[in-house]
């Protein structure tokens, strides 16, 4: 494939995606597993699914995948258990044996052990919490009973004393009543237990309603939360004692208790028996506690052991599963002795793949080695860029728009510089640039430490783009120096200002203004402009023109890249009927405008450029008059206008016709094509789908409409894209105005009060506003606008972006995957 | 004149930087070419920015008019 394309000079890293090839691998079935595993370690082969018509269950290695799934489930169970026990799987790698069959047995044993342990533990825990609750009931209800008993005896004593002591004339009658009362007393039943505190109110109400008020409920709060035996959760509970009368009431109460999850416990009125059962229960509790603790320690040890090897096992299982998934993509040979696989690999990796195949054949004692052969196909290969930690983030910016077509010119090469540069044009302040640089240096210095651990969403994103941010901040420092802004304060760093008063008295410096007395300020904007009345008109004019110049340059770069694409793919039609007219069109209008801008600056002419540009279209034959910048301008403009007008049909018409002619030429001899030789037939059988022979229909109208759209888009785009670059001016203006507002209206205002407290408050507000608005929000918005300028204005000149990414089968990628 | 001198300085920086990549971080032709492209692009961007601002101030049409307060 690569040899059919032309290149110019030596290839550049990252400019074209790696040359790829479609390879076929024939692996003896006995060494298939090992071979695939070695290829996974190498990670430079993207297997094609040759069994896409088969469902997952019909594939060769479905059972093995099921096994791996089962193992993964067990591992997940272990992880859950570890999380519950508060253990984290250690990252340190203890060498576990790498045999998957042993691991399967081991995992099974461990799971069974853990499940049994859990069941026992749960049973014991349940008993234990029941006993604890029982004890609580005994204590609380006991307290209640004894207090009631005390008050009852006190009452009785009182009554007796009343009977004996205060015999008066009225008493005998009452006495009689009381005695009858006592004789009527009936036996009351009672139930004791615990109910969750939040349900206790409802419990009481329902009880009251159900029994029509014929119960007496006494509750006492338990101070500390109790573990509920049923659910195993710690909740706050109340001890209750219900007194009732009659069997029906009892049944009702029992049912209500059940509904409310109130656990009931046997309880006696007898104080002696109560004390006895309390000691009994306490004994049992301490016994159970020791058993439970021993069980917990045992379980923790087991989990610790699992945790030590968990990561190792997890990785092993994941690898195994991915190996079988890959094996399932291979097709079984007719003889059932070989597996045939197809996949994409970079051309440079051929040797490494062959080595891996050989090693696998040796290591698995296979009699025949695997065979690797390169297939020829018309299918478009995947796109693969070898990026490093610096270029990855920039490439991702490009990929987010669209993955490059195979071997198409990669805008990523220029994005590395132009993206941060355009950002900095909007974010020009070297104070802010330094802040940003310090923040990102923190990431870069602690890179090794941070890349290992899990970060939050936003942290992860900024960490991933740390080198992008670094470049952005470096360029911001540069453009800040050019704009001469340090938190909106100018400095005379590069010599003295070029301006001075007209005379010694400086009277008209506020009306007529200063006058230029020295050479132009050598680097950046003259500091004298800051705070003057003419600052905004000057900066606006400067930044607006700068935006146009930068925009026209970048768009020209984009068109130039389309030339590199066309020449690389040997597409002369695109060079002559797309690249050339596009270049002419853009430059005869906006290139000319850029030229006028520069001329105007160099000559100091007062010509009105708007007027020149507008009347260049409206009445090109009119004399320019005072707006003339150079002799012969009228003729030049006429020529340029003609060129622009000619280049539109130049873009539109020839290309579709030439394409049609090319297509006809190609298919003239088609009817006499060679009959496929028998050697090829086997191969073409297996790859029938991928070897289509360019029989696609040529729809002229479709091609023409496509070209029409493309032309209109370019012509209108030339205008709108140039205008779009004015966002550089707008955002840069917004940034400098905002920072000067914060400086003047917060910091300087606070300073003016001559009060230390106000100054401190002012500084705090200034810092917060600078960080929040300028460093975070403005960074974000400038980032987005730079992104747009690259994606739309730059890339639409040449970038197709309809490729697909190279996704090799690699174990290294498995580790990042989360389930 | 100053315009030409500073431009020459920019050119010198660009050339030195791209030569340095070939000498100091030699990682093969294609990698060097990539690094050189980066440095040249960066230099061109920086120079352009500077040149624009310089040219704009060379023959001023508007002059700074101080605010009343100052």
């Amino acid at each position: 494939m690569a040899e059919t394309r032309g290149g110019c000079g030596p290839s550049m890293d990252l400019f074209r995606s790696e040359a790829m090839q479609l390879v076929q691998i024939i692996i003896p079935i006995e060494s298939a597993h090992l071979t695939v595993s070695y290829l996974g370690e190498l990670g430079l082969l993207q297997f094609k699914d040759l069994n896409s018509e088969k469902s997952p269950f019909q594939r060769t290695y479905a059972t093995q995948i099921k096994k791996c799934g089962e193992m993964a489930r067990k591992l997940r169970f272990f992880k859950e258990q570890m999380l519950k026990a508060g253990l984290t799987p250690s990252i340190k790698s203890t060498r576990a044996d790498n045999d998957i069959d042993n691991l399967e047995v081991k995992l099974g044993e461990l799971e069974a052990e853990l499940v049994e342990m859990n069941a026992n533990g749960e049973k014991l825990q349940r008993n234990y919490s029941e006993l604890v609750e029982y004890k609580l009931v005994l204590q609380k209800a006991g307290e209640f009973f004894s207090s009631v008993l005390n008050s009852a005896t006190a009452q009785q004593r009182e009554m007796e004393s009343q009977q004996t002591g205060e015999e008066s004339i009225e008493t005998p009658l009452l006495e009689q009543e009381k005695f009858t009362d006592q004789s009527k007393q009936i036996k009351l039943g009672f139930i004791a237990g615990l109910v969750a505190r939040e349900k206790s109110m409802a419990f009481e109400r329902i009880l009251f309603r159900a029994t029509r008020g014929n119960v007496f409920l006494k509750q006492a709060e338990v101070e500390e939360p109790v573990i509920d035996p049923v659910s195993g959760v710690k909740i706050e509970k109340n001890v209750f004692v219900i007194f009732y009368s009659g069997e029906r009431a009892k049944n009702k109460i029992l049912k209500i208790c059940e509904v409310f999850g109130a656990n009931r416990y046997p309880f006696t009125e007898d104080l002696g028996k109560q004390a006895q059962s309390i000691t009994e229960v306490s004994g049992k509790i301490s016994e159970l506690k020791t058993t439970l603790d021993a069980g917990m320690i045992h379980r923790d040890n087991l989990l610790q052991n699992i945790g030590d090897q968990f990561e190792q096992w997890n990785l092993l299982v994941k690898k195994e599963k991915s190996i079988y998934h890959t094996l399932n993509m291979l097709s079984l040979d007719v003889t059932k002795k070989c597996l045939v696989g197809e996949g994409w690999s970079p051309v440079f990796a051929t040797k490494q793949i062959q080595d891996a195949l050989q090693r696998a054949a040796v290591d698995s004692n296979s009699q025949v080695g695997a065979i690797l052969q390169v297939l020829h196909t018309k299918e478009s290969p995947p796109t693969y860029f070898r990026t490093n930690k610096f270029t990855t983030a920039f490439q991702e910016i490009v990929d987010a728009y669209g993955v490059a077509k195979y071997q198409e010119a990669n805008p990523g090469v220029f994005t590395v510089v132009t993206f941060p540069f355009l950002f900095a044009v909007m974010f020009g302040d070297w104070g802010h640039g330094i802040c940003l640089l310090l923040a990102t240096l923190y990431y870069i210095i602690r890179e090794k430490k941070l890349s290992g651990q899990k970060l939050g969403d936003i942290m992860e994103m900024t960490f991933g783009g740390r080198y992008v941010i670094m470049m952005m901040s470096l360029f911001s420092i540069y453009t800040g120096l050019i704009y001469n802004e340090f938190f909106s304060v100018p400095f005379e760093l590069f010599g003295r200002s070029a301006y001075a008063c007209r005379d010694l008295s400086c009277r008209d410096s506020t009306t007529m203004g200063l006058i230029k007395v020295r050479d132009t300020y050598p680097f950046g904007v003259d500091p004298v402009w800051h705070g003057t009345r003419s600052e905004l008109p000057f900066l606006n004019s400067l930044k607006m023109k700068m935006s146009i110049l930068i925009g026209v340059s970048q768009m020209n770069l984009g068109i130039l890249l389309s030339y590199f694409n066309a020449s690389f793919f040997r597409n002369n039609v695109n060079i002559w009927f797309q690249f050339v007219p596009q270049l002419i069109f853009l430059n005869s209008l906006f290139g000319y405008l850029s030229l006028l801008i520069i001329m105007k600056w160099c000559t100091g002419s007062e010509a009105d450029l708007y007027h020149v540009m507008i009347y260049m279209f409206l009445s090109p034959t009119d004399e320019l008059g005072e707006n003339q910048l150079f002799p012969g301008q009228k003729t030049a403009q006429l020529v340029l206008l003609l060129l622009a007008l000619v280049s539109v049909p130049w873009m539109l018409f020839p290309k579709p016709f030439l394409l049609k002619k090319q297509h006809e030429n190609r298919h003239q001899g088609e009817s006499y094509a060679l009959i496929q030789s028998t050697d090829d037939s086997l191969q073409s059988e297996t790859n029938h789908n991928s070897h289509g022979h360019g029989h696609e229909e040529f729809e002229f109208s479709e091609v023409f409409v496509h070209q029409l759209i493309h032309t209109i888009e370019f012509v209108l785009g030339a205008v709108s894209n140039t205008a779009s670059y004015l966002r550089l001016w707008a955002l840069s203006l917004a940034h400098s105005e905002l920072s000067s507002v914060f400086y003047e209206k917060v910091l300087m205002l606070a300073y003016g009060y001559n009060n230390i407290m106000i100054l401190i408050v002012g500084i705090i507000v200034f810092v917060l506003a600078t960080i929040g608005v300028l460093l975070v929000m403005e960074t974000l918005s400038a980032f987005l606008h730079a992104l747009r300028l690259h994606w739309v204005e730059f890339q639409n000149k040449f970038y197709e972006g309809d490729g697909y990414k190279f996704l090799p089968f690699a174990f290294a990628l498995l580790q990042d995957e989360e389930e | 004149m100053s315009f030409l001198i500073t431009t020459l300085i920019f050119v010198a920086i660009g050339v030195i930087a791209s030569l340095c990549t070939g000498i100091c971080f030699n990682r093969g032709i294609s990698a060097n070419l990539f690094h050189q492209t980066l440095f040249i692009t960066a230099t061109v961007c920086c120079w352009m920015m500077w040149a624009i601002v310089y040219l704009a101030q060379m023959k001023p049409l508007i002059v700074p008019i101080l605010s009343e307060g100052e």
Side-chain angles (χ1 to χ4, degrees):
Chain A
M1 275 135 277
E3 61 269 11
T4 62
R5 309 257 156 79
C8 37
S11 63
M12 191 202 300
D13 263 11
L14 215 63
F15 190 55
R16 310 251 171 230
S17 62
E18 294 294 331
M20 304 297 265
Q21 59 189 3
L22 185 66
V23 294
Q24 188 179 44
I25 302 177
I26 303 168
I27 317 167
I29 212 157
E30 67 267 20
S31 66
H33 184 272
L34 201 64
T35 309
V36 170
S37 139
Y38 281 2
L39 287 175
E41 254 151 53
L42 184 63
L44 283 170
L45 191 64
Q46 175 181 352
F47 282 97
K48 271 166 73 171
D49 193 356
L50 299 179
N51 301 321
S52 49
E53 75 284 353
K54 285 186 187 168
S55 75
F57 306 108
Q58 292 172 323
R59 298 190 178 206
T60 330
Y61 292 95
T63 44
Q64 278 88 337
I65 285 183
K66 226 161 104 187
K67 253 188 214 167
C68 290
E70 183 65 15
M71 279 197 269
R73 185 195 60 73
K74 280 172 190 163
L75 284 171
R76 275 201 300 279
F77 170 68
F78 291 153
K79 192 166 188 182
E80 239 168 62
Q81 293 295 318
M82 277 189 277
L83 281 179
K84 260 191 195 165
L87 290 170
T88 44
S90 66
I91 297 158
K92 65 168 194 238
S93 52
T94 44
R95 204 64 216 147
D97 64 314
N98 270 348
D99 189 37
I100 196 77
D101 297 324
N102 286 353
L103 181 63
E104 196 187 350
V105 176
K106 201 165 181 181
L107 285 183
E109 280 169 6
L110 281 174
E111 195 202 16
E113 199 178 342
L114 200 60
V115 166
E116 198 189 331
M117 229 178 249
N118 280 350
N120 286 343
E122 235 164 68
K123 220 195 250 164
L124 286 175
Q125 185 65 44
R126 195 183 165 133
N127 278 345
Y128 177 74
S129 23
E130 264 173 8
L131 281 175
V132 169
E133 284 199 339
Y134 187 27
K135 194 180 166 190
L136 278 169
V137 169
L138 284 175
Q139 281 169 347
K140 292 278 172 186
E143 267 169 37
F144 169 61
F145 265 82
S146 59
S147 72
V148 167
L149 206 67
N150 284 345
S151 63
T153 44
Q155 219 173 4
Q156 214 158 22
R157 216 172 293 137
E158 206 179 298
M159 252 162 32
E160 273 165 17
S161 67
Q162 267 181 357
Q163 280 172 9
T164 51
E166 289 173 38
E167 273 185 291
S168 64
I169 312 157
E170 305 115 78
T171 39
L173 288 166
L174 289 166
E175 222 174 283
Q176 210 82 51
E177 259 180 15
K178 263 180 192 152
F179 274 110
T180 48
D181 225 1
Q182 240 165 16
S183 64
K184 269 185 197 165
Q185 201 171 30
I186 37 156
K187 185 73 184 161
L188 286 174
F190 63 88
I191 292 169
L194 275 107
V195 67
R197 190 169 301 163
E198 53 190 18
K199 288 185 193 162
S200 63
M201 290 292 288
F203 182 57
E204 190 171 349
R205 211 174 303 132
I206 297 277
L207 273 176
F208 188 81
R209 281 186 195 154
T211 55
R212 302 210 177 87
N214 284 327
V215 286
F216 176 69
L217 177 76
K218 174 80 185 170
Q219 295 198 48
E221 287 186 359
V222 182
E223 291 79 17
E224 276 159 21
V226 203
I227 298 171
D228 189 59
V230 181
S231 63
V233 188
K234 267 196 174 184
I235 40 175
E236 294 187 314
K237 283 193 168 187
N238 281 358
V239 171
F240 64 85
V241 185
I242 308 165
F243 297 90
Y244 59 89
S245 64
E247 204 55 27
R248 277 182 61 185
K250 185 185 176 183
N251 285 339
K252 272 185 191 166
I253 292 166
L254 287 180
K255 268 180 196 155
I256 292 167
C257 281
E258 238 163 65
V259 168
F260 275 84
N263 305 320
R264 288 163 286 105
Y265 295 96
F267 187 74
T268 49
E269 268 178 288
D270 190 349
L271 282 173
K273 272 186 190 168
Q274 273 176 29
Q276 196 188 337
S277 44
I278 283 185
T279 44
E280 233 170 65
V281 167
S282 300
K284 271 189 196 163
I285 284 177
S286 62
E287 232 170 71
L288 258 179
K289 181 85 184 150
T290 41
T291 327
L292 260 176
D293 284 349
M296 283 300 275
I297 289 168
H298 188 56
R299 183 163 170 271
D300 278 356
N301 280 341
L302 184 72
L303 283 175
Q304 190 71 52
N305 277 342
I306 294 173
D308 283 345
Q309 292 175 319
F310 179 79
E311 285 301 323
Q312 204 88 20
W313 289 346
N314 199 16
L315 192 62
L316 190 64
V317 169
K318 271 188 186 171
K319 275 186 186 175
E320 200 66 16
K321 202 174 174 188
S322 69
I323 288 174
Y324 284 118
H325 264 302
T326 309
L327 281 172
N328 269 343
M329 291 186 185
L330 311 186
S331 68
L332 206 56
D333 191 47
V334 215
T335 56
K336 302 228 167 188
K337 280 180 184 158
C338 289
L339 284 168
V340 181
E342 269 180 40
W344 293 104
S345 82
V347 173
F348 71 83
T350 318
K351 184 89 183 58
Q352 285 161 284
I353 291 173
Q354 265 166 345
D355 281 350
L357 293 182
Q358 219 154 32
R359 266 191 299 130
V362 172
D363 291 353
S364 61
N365 298 323
S366 167
Q367 280 150 353
V368 271
I371 301 164
L372 175 97
Q373 63 185 48
V374 178
L375 300 178
H376 293 283
T377 175
K378 288 221 164 103
E379 208 183 336
S380 176
T383 308
Y384 175 43
F385 291 110
R386 273 194 284 177
T387 52
N388 54 27
K389 65 180 177 183
F390 178 76
T391 48
T392 305
F394 291 101
Q395 190 58 48
E396 264 166 25
I397 288 176
V398 175
D399 286 349
Y401 175 78
V403 177
K405 201 172 74 178
Y406 176 62
Q407 294 233 308
E408 133 177 81
N410 179 16
V413 173
F414 296 97
T415 305
V416 174
V417 173
T418 54
F419 182 82
F421 175 69
L422 286 191
F423 170 86
V425 170
M426 295 180 266
F427 197 79
D429 190 312
W430 59 283
H432 298 152
I434 287 171
C435 293
L436 217 56
L437 184 66
L438 290 179
T440 190
L441 278 182
Y442 167 80
Y443 277 137
I444 291 171
I445 289 164
R446 308 195 42 173
E447 189 174 72
K448 285 227 170 75
K449 208 179 224 175
L450 286 170
S451 59
Q453 65 198 55
K454 282 232 178 310
L455 306 163
D457 262 354
I458 294 172
M459 276 279 274
E460 184 97 49
M461 216 156 64
T462 45
F463 179 71
R466 60 197 180 281
Y467 286 105
V468 180
I469 300 174
M470 185 190 78
M471 290 296 280
M472 293 189 324
S473 59
L474 288 179
F475 275 103
S476 300
I477 293 171
Y478 178 80
T479 53
L481 289 171
I482 290 273
Y483 289 149
N484 210 339
E485 295 206 34
F486 177 83
F487 297 106
S488 91
V489 183
F491 283 93
E492 287 200 17
L493 286 176
F494 303 97
R496 296 177 60 193
S497 164
Y499 294 90
C501 296
R502 281 161 202 265
D503 47 33
L504 285 173
S505 62
C506 247
R507 257 181 290 111
D508 44 8
S509 67
T510 54
T511 49
M512 298 279 286
L514 306 173
I515 194 166
K516 197 177 169 196
V517 292
R518 272 178 285 271
D519 277 346
T520 313
Y521 192 68
F523 192 88
V525 175
D526 202 312
V528 80
W529 287 105
H530 186 81
T532 56
R533 281 198 284 154
S534 48
E535 183 192 9
L536 264 188
F538 169 71
L539 283 184
N540 279 348
S541 144
L542 165 66
K543 285 179 175 174
M544 182 169 72
K545 286 168 182 165
M546 179 162 71
S547 310
I548 293 195
L549 291 177
I550 290 175
V552 170
S553 320
Q554 201 188 17
M555 287 192 288
N556 269 315
L557 177 66
I559 295 177
L560 202 67
L561 285 174
S562 83
Y563 166 76
F564 283 123
N565 267 344
S567 82
F568 183 80
F569 293 112
R570 297 256 166 88
N571 193 339
N572 280 328
V573 175
N574 271 0
I575 294 180
W576 290 109
F577 303 103
Q578 196 145 314
F579 163 69
V580 174
Q582 281 186 355
L583 200 66
I584 289 173
F585 184 82
L586 184 71
N587 285 308
S588 61
L589 301 181
F590 294 101
Y592 176 61
L593 175 62
S594 310
L595 195 75
L596 286 185
I597 290 172
I598 294 169
M599 265 189 179
K600 188 179 157 172
W601 278 340
C602 290
T603 56
S605 148
E606 292 195 26
D608 184 359
L609 296 188
Y610 295 113
H611 192 275
V612 174
M613 285 310 286
I614 289 168
Y615 281 91
M616 180 174 163
F617 294 99
L618 291 185
S619 51
T621 50
D622 280 6
E623 285 302 325
L624 286 148
E626 57 179 7
N627 286 328
Q628 181 160 331
L629 272 157
F630 58 94
Q633 191 178 358
K634 198 183 91 180
T635 336
Q637 284 188 5
L638 270 173
V639 171
L640 287 173
L641 192 62
L642 270 176
L643 276 175
L645 286 179
V646 165
S647 57
V648 176
W650 186 357
M651 262 182 265
L652 176 58
F653 294 113
K655 195 182 162 188
F657 289 103
L658 282 168
L659 284 180
K660 189 181 180 199
K661 207 177 145 206
Q662 272 182 4
H663 184 264
E664 275 164 4
N665 283 345
R666 208 181 302 139
H667 290 278
Q668 225 160 26
E670 195 90 310
S671 45
Y672 300 106
L674 283 170
I675 298 168
Q676 274 193 334
S677 63
T678 41
D679 289 349
D680 288 348
S681 61
L682 195 140
Q683 191 178 307
S684 61
E685 237 174 27
T686 49
N687 322 308
H688 201 265
N689 299 331
S690 55
H691 286 238
H693 271 292
H695 275 299
E696 75 275 11
E697 285 294 309
F698 187 82
E699 281 280 347
F700 180 74
S701 58
E702 210 171 280
V703 174
F704 189 80
V705 168
H706 183 262
Q707 188 63 20
L708 183 73
I709 292 169
H710 200 80
T711 309
I712 293 173
E713 198 193 318
F714 182 81
V715 170
L716 295 183
V719 182
S720 68
N721 290 355
T722 311
S724 181
Y725 275 95
L726 291 177
R727 71 185 70 232
L728 291 175
W729 161 39
L731 268 109
S732 152
L733 184 75
H735 185 86
S736 72
E737 286 302 303
L738 269 177
S739 64
S740 93
V741 162
F742 290 142
Y743 180 77
E744 304 261 332
K745 299 291 169 207
V746 178
L747 203 58
M748 284 299 112
L749 200 72
Y751 184 70
Y753 280 101
N754 273 329
N755 181 328
I756 192 81
M757 282 311 291
I758 294 178
L759 185 62
I760 289 173
V761 171
I763 288 174
I764 291 171
V765 173
F766 175 72
V767 167
L768 289 181
T770 302
I771 290 176
V773 178
L774 294 173
L775 289 179
V776 177
M777 304 245 293
E778 278 278 288
T779 307
L780 224 77
S781 78
F783 184 94
L784 287 178
H785 284 281
L787 200 64
R788 186 225 142 92
L789 286 178
H790 276 84
W791 279 355
V792 180
E793 276 73 26
F794 177 51
Q795 290 183 5
N796 76 1
K797 301 285 181 295
F798 65 99
Y799 191 59
E800 306 244 0
D802 56 353
Y804 62 102
K805 244 186 183 160
F806 177 56
L807 292 171
F809 167 61
F811 291 150
L813 297 176
L814 284 178
Q815 268 151 329
D816 309 333
E817 259 171 42
E818 275 301 311
E819 276 149 61
Chain B
M1 262 332 273
S2 174
F3 181 78
L4 277 181
I5 292 168
T6 318
T7 304
L8 279 178
I9 294 173
F10 269 105
V11 171
I13 291 172
V15 169
I16 290 168
S18 40
L19 282 182
C20 275
T21 53
I23 296 159
C24 305
F25 314 97
N26 198 347
R27 300 225 178 110
I29 298 170
S30 57
N32 285 346
L33 196 64
F34 173 58
H35 293 151
Q36 279 161 14
T37 313
L38 292 191
F39 277 108
I40 290 168
T41 320
T43 320
V44 167
C45 286
C46 290
W47 170 80
M48 205 163 79
M49 182 97 183
W50 167 82
I52 289 167
V53 172
Y54 188 90
L55 289 177
Q57 295 183 103
M58 226 162 47
K59 301 255 166 71
L61 291 179
I62 340 170
V63 290
I65 302 167
L66 299 187
S67 317
E68 300 287 345
E70 282 173 285

